Structure formats: C-alpha cells, structure tokens
Amino acid sequence: MSAPIGIFDSGYGGLTILSQIRSLMPQYDYIYLGDNARTPYGTRSFEVVYEFTRQAVEKLFDMGCRLVILACNTASAKALRSVQQNDLARLGSDRRVLGIIRPTVESIGGITRSRHIGVLATEGTILSASYPIEINKLFPDIQVSGQACPLWVPLVENGEAHSPGADYFVRKYITQLLEQDPLIDTVILGCTHYPLLIEKIRRFTPAGINIVCQGDYVAASLQDYLQRHPEMENNCSKNGSCQFFTTESEEKFTSSANLFLRYPVEVHRVTLG
Ligand code: DGL
C-alpha cells in the first residue's frame, strides 16, 4: 500500500514547512492538516496539546499516511514524545511521527560563532525548555536564551503580519531577547508561523545576527530520513499531489493559506476527536 506524507500544524504555520519540503521533494504526495479551529496551541497545557496532537495524528493515519511530520514546534515540544511512547504501538508499528525541533537544533552548531543563541517561540515551546535541552545535548558549550512571543501567532493567523500595528510587538520581543544576552549572534525562529513575519523580524534585528528559519533544515532532514529508511520511502506514494484539510471553515482556510503559499488551494473540513 502506498501512502502520502502527513504534515500537521495547529494552523497555517506548518505551510511554511510544507513549502520547503515540497520544493525539495516534489515527487511525494502530501496531506496537510491544520487544526485552525483550535489554534493557537502555544498557550495551552501539555495535556491539551498532547490530546489535540494525538487526534490529528490518528486522523492522518486514518487518511492513509504512514509518516507524519509535526510541523509545529509546540506540538513537537509538548506531544511528540508522548505520542511516540504511548500511542504509536497501538496505532501501527509501521507508522512514524517526527518533530521539527531536532533537525533545527542540529543545524545551529555550525552557524553560531559566539556560541550564544536566542530562541523566539510560543510560550508553550519556551516553557517546555525543549530547545535548550536539545541544543545542550548536542552542543554543551552553547548558551541558550528563550523569549516567548505570545502575540506573533495571532498576528499571523489574523492576517496582520504586514500591518504597521505589528511593528510594536515584533520589535518588543526581539529587544527582550537581546536584553537577556547581548552576545547572541544567532536567533532561531522556533515557531512555524514566524517566517511570515520575516520582513519585520529582519528590520528589528541588529545587522550581523543570523536568523534561522526551520523549513530548509526540516526538509533536508526528512530527505535524509527517507534515504536511511527505504522501508518507509518505498511506501510513500509519488504523484506529486497535496491535499489540504482544516478543522475551521474551508473559505477561511483558502483565503489565509494564500498568504503562506501564494497559490490557490482546495481544502476540506474535518473534525478531530
Ligand atoms: N506554529 C506552531 C509552532 O510552531 C504553533 C502556533 C500555535 O498554535 O501557538 O509552535
């Protein structure tokens, strides 16, 4: 049986990851699922993010996926391990769920010179401490500071990413991060929504600081995973298609998805749980 690759996010943010994955590996079939009705996840508890993520993974498995990417840092931080440990055996031993924090973290050792890194992410991702934990496993010499940016996802989800009103909040969180550690020379955008704010993030980040967007690293890491796991790769269907599903209204998704993908998509509504 051949299967599409599932890409899940709490909303539209994962579309930034999907774009990079598809441009590197256009041959595969993909299913994108956004839990737009229940976004944002960033301020929710571990239990709730785990429950919602498990429901989404089950839905994507039911749709025929064998491999699901949690294209959401919050879900990767708060739910990935629980889904892998508690649910995968029951859902099918040949299925896999991968997150996006590890591939991002692997990339930064070669980028920072000062060995001082900043992470901008949702409150949930920052409170989970997943980035400092994962970074220090690989690079114990790197000092990590984190700044939660609770208003960035709502700005993006509400189509305000380019509005003048967004300037205040973009500048505010960057300033707060750099105040924590002035030696930071590399900033990870640890939320898949944030590349949509990249123009403003660049404008308010001092020159010389590297800004790391995750998409390229996640796509390269997935390619590497598929090369190392032919049993999974052989099962991936290869017609170059992508289907979109949302838990919110189809109209709303279609118009907002345009901001991320810049091509029209046909989307279907699903319920989770
Ligand atoms: N885009 C998601 C992330 O990468 C989360 C946004 C949210 O639902 O708060 O963390």
Side-chain angles (χ1 to χ4, degrees), residues 9-14 38-43 71-76 100 121-123 125 153-154 157 190-194 214:
D9 183 45
S10 62
Y12 302 111
R38 303 189 293 193
T39 197
Y41 281 14
T43 44
C72 173
N73 290 271
T74 311
S76 298
I100 59 171
T122 64
E123 195 178 289
T125 300
V153 170
E157 290 278 325
C191 172
T192 53
H193 283 69
Y194 297 174
Q214 305 177 281

Side-chain angles (χ1 to χ4, degrees), residues 70-91:
L70 302 184
C72 173
N73 290 271
T74 311
S76 298
K78 293 178 137 186
L80 176 64
R81 187 157 309 165
S82 302
V83 170
Q84 286 173 334
Q85 288 175 355
N86 305 342
D87 303 296
L88 266 188
R90 174 176 55 86
L91 297 172

Side-chain angles (χ1 to χ4, degrees), residues 106-263:
E106 283 168 356
S107 73
I108 55 128
I111 299 177
T112 173
R113 290 173 311 282
S114 71
R115 314 308 274 174
H116 290 248
I117 295 268
V119 180
L120 297 167
T122 64
E123 195 178 289
T125 300
I126 296 298
L127 289 178
S128 75
S130 294
Y131 271 97
I133 291 169
E134 292 298 324
I135 289 172
N136 288 142
K137 272 187 210 160
L138 295 181
F139 311 107
D141 62 316
I142 291 181
Q143 194 163 312
V144 187
S145 305
Q147 176 63 46
C149 312
L151 285 164
W152 285 10
V153 170
L155 284 171
V156 170
E157 290 278 325
N158 288 292
E160 297 288 337
H162 302 289
S163 74
D167 288 12
Y168 173 81
F169 290 105
V170 173
R171 185 180 4 215
K172 176 177 173 168
Y173 300 138
I174 292 170
T175 306
Q176 286 176 346
L177 176 68
L178 298 177
E179 275 171 5
Q180 289 183 48
D181 180 357
L183 295 179
I184 287 171
D185 75 347
T186 302
V187 173
I188 296 174
L189 302 188
C191 172
T192 53
H193 283 69
Y194 297 174
L196 268 289
L197 291 164
I198 191 70
E199 265 170 39
K200 290 186 196 292
I201 292 172
R202 285 217 173 94
R203 175 143 42 101
F204 296 118
T205 302
I209 295 185
N210 306 299
I211 299 169
V212 175
C213 293
Q214 305 177 281
D216 284 342
Y217 302 109
V218 172
S221 164
L222 177 59
Q223 187 177 48
D224 177 59
Y225 175 87
L226 291 170
Q227 278 163 3
R228 286 184 294 107
H229 293 85
E231 74 291 355
M232 183 60 82
E233 204 282 335
N234 290 337
N235 282 325
C236 291
S237 53
K238 301 175 186 76
N239 302 300
S241 74
C242 188
Q243 294 172 269
F244 295 86
F245 294 88
T246 177
T247 54
E248 244 291 352
S249 95
E250 293 163 349
E251 272 173 15
K252 195 164 180 283
F253 187 94
T254 308
S255 67
S256 300
N258 254 325
L259 296 170
F260 291 76
L261 296 174
R262 301 188 189 283
Y263 57 80

